[in-house]
Amino acid sequence: MSCCNALRTYSRFLRPTQLMTVLNRSFGQPVAQTHPHILKQGEVTPFVTKEEYSQRRHNVFNLALKQFEGSKNVKDHIMIFPSAYKMFMTIPIPYPFRQNTDFSYLSGFQEADSVLVLHNSQKLPVSHRTLSPETGMTSVLFVPRKDTHAELWDGERSGPHGAVEITGVDGAYNSEDLGQFLQQYSEHHANYVIWYDIEGNVHPQLHRAGIEDFILQGRQKCVETTTRSVHRIRVIKSPAEVQLMQKSVDIASESLEEVMKFSYPGVNEAYLEAKMEFECVLRDAQMLAYPPVVAGGNRGNTIHYTRNNQIVPGGDMILMDAGCEYHGFTSDLTRTWPVSGRFSPVQRRLYEMVLRIQLKVISLCTPEFTLEQVYVYMLHLLGEELVSLGLMKKKDKSSNHAEEIRKFYPHHIGHYLGMDVHDTPTMSRHTKLKPGMIIAIEPGVYIPADRTSVPEQYRGIAIRIEDNLLITESQPIVLSDKCVKDPDHIEEMMAAAKS
Ligand code: GLY
Ligand code: MN
Ligand code: MN
């Protein structure tokens, strides 16, 4: 029910003072009434409607049911998804809050200290179930209670009524009622399956406040992890999710070009990080997706270099790995460019080599192959190129050739990308790519300054070119094709920026 329809329906039964309470209801996250520049009516989060959230919950629940199809005496399933909790730099200063991804994917609810429960009980008191016709599934949220004092300091909360109105779940209660709800569940059932990510330790406090007892003292048949089921659904993006991902990648692509144009010999890496964040937020991203790598020269050989505090002299290249988060969806790009605006002959030789490899491996990102196969192919191409440049010996029996190549390329060719940067990590890289998947592909070459086995002119260079791709039935769509990577185009763009 849309909020307006809901109001119309409620208003017939409410006294004027009660109606004012509904109209004045405050929410702990943007909704269409308060943030019309972000959300449309019917959307829980930008682009994603209540119907889509409901569909996600049903998909995950159905997948869980399917795994027990053969087990005749197992009928009842209960899935428990805790939210993230607030973390503090120092009391009372919180780190920026990021919601737990699986919880966010299934509810869209943005407050900490909440829990989503999905179940198909027919035995709980009627007040605890609103059976959906397809699966008999009920979705319930437990959320922080309304609290005038806490809200004065930390901002509004939605409370249980607001949570139902925002998300469209079947019911909602205060978080502290979770323990009692679970106890009631175990009193009414036996031989059920608890779906819960025990190992993830997602919310230790809520775990201790009811979930732990439910598991230790319950009459369940078994406890199964939730993550695999959710990731199997999450890995394929819906049309709305593709739109969100394209926007996230567009913002990062345009912003990264602005950073390249802004860079100059003698620039501090920290300025480039700040410039990236500024440009992304100006384009409506909420934040950077991860601490970016902004590495001048040899520092690019430290794969996770994030100190970003050195001066980049003319003559060095900058390797920048950065992306943004747009309403929960992340981009993940890398570009490498000469800070002076012109590649040296050696830099260009290596850069063109990586680009040749990148274009070849992108063309392999089709449903015929897995990420692992693309990786193996990439190592083979890199080996051939390095041998022809004289940086490696030809394959022979005296050395482990693959091991030697990996010294020039110590990480994987790519990963799934979505709400998390390394998205759906329980999905194997041995899975065939499928239309609707989004991946990051990031070939490169790394030659540390102390690699004395190669001629001196090649030492201290690190290059990576990372793009984000949407898998289709045929060739992938390069979502980041707006971000320059041809070396001539990079030089032209930088020259134009300086003129
Ligand atoms: N930025 C992390 C990665 O490229 O995988
Ligand atoms: Mn990256
Ligand atoms: Mn990546």
Side-chain angles (χ1 to χ4, degrees):
M1 191 185 304
S2 78
C3 179
C4 288
N5 286 343
L7 263 185
R8 252 177 256 129
T9 312
Y10 295 151
S11 60
R12 280 189 273 137
F13 305 107
L14 297 173
R15 290 194 302 275
T17 48
Q18 287 175 309
L19 180 57
M20 281 316 290
T21 312
V22 174
L23 286 170
N24 290 333
R25 177 168 291 146
S26 52
F27 298 96
Q29 66 190 73
V31 296
Q33 301 99 296
T34 59
H35 291 67
H37 58 293
I38 297 180
L39 288 139
K40 294 199 270 298
Q41 287 291 346
E43 291 176 347
V44 180
T45 51
F47 296 92
V48 189
T49 60
K50 281 184 184 168
E51 288 70 30
E52 182 155 349
Y53 275 103
S54 169
Q55 191 59 56
R56 290 172 177 180
R57 290 191 286 272
H58 280 104
N59 288 346
V60 166
F61 200 78
N62 281 336
L63 200 56
L65 292 188
K66 235 182 181 169
Q67 288 172 53
F68 281 81
E69 237 164 27
S71 319
K72 277 205 197 90
N73 45 6
V74 179
K75 292 203 172 48
D76 296 319
H77 294 258
I78 178 163
M79 303 187 92
I80 305 172
F81 299 95
S83 75
Y85 55 93
K86 271 197 205 167
M87 302 221 276
F88 289 85
M89 290 182 202
T90 176
I91 299 300
I93 310 298
Y95 284 107
F97 179 71
R98 188 174 193 271
Q99 188 54 284
N100 173 272
T101 313
D102 286 347
F103 176 86
S104 192
Y105 177 75
L106 294 171
S107 70
F109 195 65
Q110 295 304 316
E111 289 179 46
D113 307 328
S114 306
V115 178
L116 173 71
V117 174
L118 308 179
H119 68 80
N120 59 349
S121 170
Q122 313 265 353
K123 297 170 194 142
L124 281 175
V126 175
S127 63
H128 277 329
R129 52 189 162 97
T130 317
L131 297 178
S132 132
E134 310 100 89
T135 51
M137 186 197 80
T138 300
S139 53
V140 190
L141 272 171
F142 292 84
V143 303
R145 68 159 59 250
K146 294 291 283 178
D147 177 327
T148 316
H149 180 73
E151 291 180 62
L152 173 68
W153 287 93
D154 300 329
E156 292 106 339
R157 296 175 174 183
S158 303
H161 292 295
V164 171
E165 197 173 323
I166 292 170
T167 65
V169 292
D170 299 313
Y173 306 92
N174 292 320
S175 294
E176 63 257 33
D177 298 334
L178 176 69
Q180 202 192 348
F181 171 86
L182 294 176
Q183 199 182 339
Q184 202 171 19
Y185 186 95
S186 50
E187 282 162 13
H188 285 82
H189 301 81
N191 217 28
Y192 47 92
V193 182
I194 301 175
W195 296 82
Y196 176 62
D197 180 13
I198 295 186
E199 283 183 7
N201 204 14
V202 175
H203 197 307
Q205 202 186 333
L206 284 169
H207 178 78
R208 287 191 299 271
I211 301 173
E212 188 173 32
D213 282 350
F214 182 55
I215 292 171
L216 292 178
Q217 293 160 21
R219 295 188 290 157
Q220 71 271 13
K221 179 181 171 59
C222 56
V223 182
E224 297 283 333
T225 181
T226 50
T227 46
R228 283 176 202 287
S229 309
V230 184
H231 293 180
R232 271 177 65 189
I233 309 281
R234 261 179 53 197
V235 77
I236 305 292
K237 273 57 183 178
S238 72
E241 290 172 312
V242 171
Q243 253 186 305
L244 283 154
M245 284 298 294
Q246 180 69 72
K247 181 74 182 166
S248 178
V249 177
D250 280 348
I251 292 172
S253 301
E254 289 173 21
S255 301
L256 193 43
E257 283 201 353
E258 291 305 316
V259 175
M260 293 164 84
K261 288 193 260 182
F262 170 80
S263 62
Y264 51 87
V267 72
N268 190 322
E269 292 160 351
Y271 300 175
L272 303 182
E273 174 173 347
K275 174 76 171 162
M276 183 70 185
E277 183 165 16
F278 173 74
E279 294 293 340
C280 286
V281 174
L282 272 189
R283 288 169 174 77
D284 293 335
Q286 286 68 54
M287 55 184 161
L288 293 183
Y290 48 89
V293 176
V294 189
N298 185 51
R299 291 179 294 285
N301 287 304
T302 304
I303 306 297
H304 286 162
Y305 173 81
T306 50
R307 291 182 188 168
N308 305 348
N309 59 6
Q310 264 296 2
I311 305 298
V312 188
D316 273 359
M317 286 197 290
I318 297 168
L319 184 160
M320 182 157 182
D321 184 336
C324 67
E325 186 165 317
Y326 181 74
H327 298 298
F329 286 79
T330 64
S331 36
D332 178 14
L333 304 183
T334 307
R335 290 293 183 266
T336 311
W337 72 96
V339 69
S340 66
R342 287 200 82 79
F343 290 91
S344 74
V346 170
Q347 289 168 347
R348 186 178 263 266
R349 199 171 307 142
L350 287 177
Y351 186 91
E352 285 177 346
M353 172 191 87
V354 174
L355 187 55
R356 263 195 308 281
I357 294 173
Q358 209 235 18
L359 296 175
K360 279 190 195 160
V361 295
I362 285 177
S363 72
L364 285 194
C365 295
T366 68
E368 251 185 280
F369 298 104
T370 67
L371 270 172
E372 194 60 29
Q373 288 169 327
V374 175
Y375 170 53
V376 170
Y377 181 65
M378 185 258 156
L379 287 179
H380 164 76
L381 290 175
L382 181 61
E384 279 187 343
E385 293 270 8
L386 291 173
V387 169
S388 77
L389 277 179
L391 302 188
M392 262 184 68
K393 283 198 274 180
K394 274 205 180 116
K395 189 172 179 174
D396 64 20
K397 289 202 181 95
S398 69
S399 65
N400 182 337
H401 196 61
E403 200 61 29
E404 290 299 311
I405 300 170
R406 279 198 287 270
K407 286 188 186 153
F408 289 87
Y409 185 76
H411 58 83
H412 204 280
I413 185 67
H415 51 89
Y416 307 107
L417 181 70
M419 294 179 77
D420 289 322
V421 177
H422 283 220
D423 203 46
T424 60
T426 61
M427 288 296 298
S428 161
R429 283 186 170 110
H430 293 271
T431 309
K432 282 259 167 78
L433 294 171
K434 288 195 186 67
M437 285 181 175
I438 292 182
I439 58 172
I441 284 291
E442 45 189 308
V445 68
Y446 304 91
I447 311 179
D450 59 2
R451 180 72 54 83
T452 50
S453 62
V454 305
E456 196 172 348
Q457 54 180 345
Y458 289 102
R459 296 180 206 159
I461 292 179
I463 296 170
R464 174 160 75 251
I465 309 175
E466 179 172 22
D467 276 313
N468 301 160
L469 317 180
L470 170 65
I471 306 302
T472 73
E473 295 288 354
S474 53
Q475 280 297 295
I477 295 170
V478 182
L479 299 176
S480 45
D481 66 354
K482 287 200 182 88
C483 193
V484 63
K485 66 179 172 185
D486 178 279
D488 292 334
H489 295 166
I490 291 175
E491 288 186 349
E492 282 161 22
M493 182 185 77
M494 292 195 56
K498 301 286 175 271
S499 63

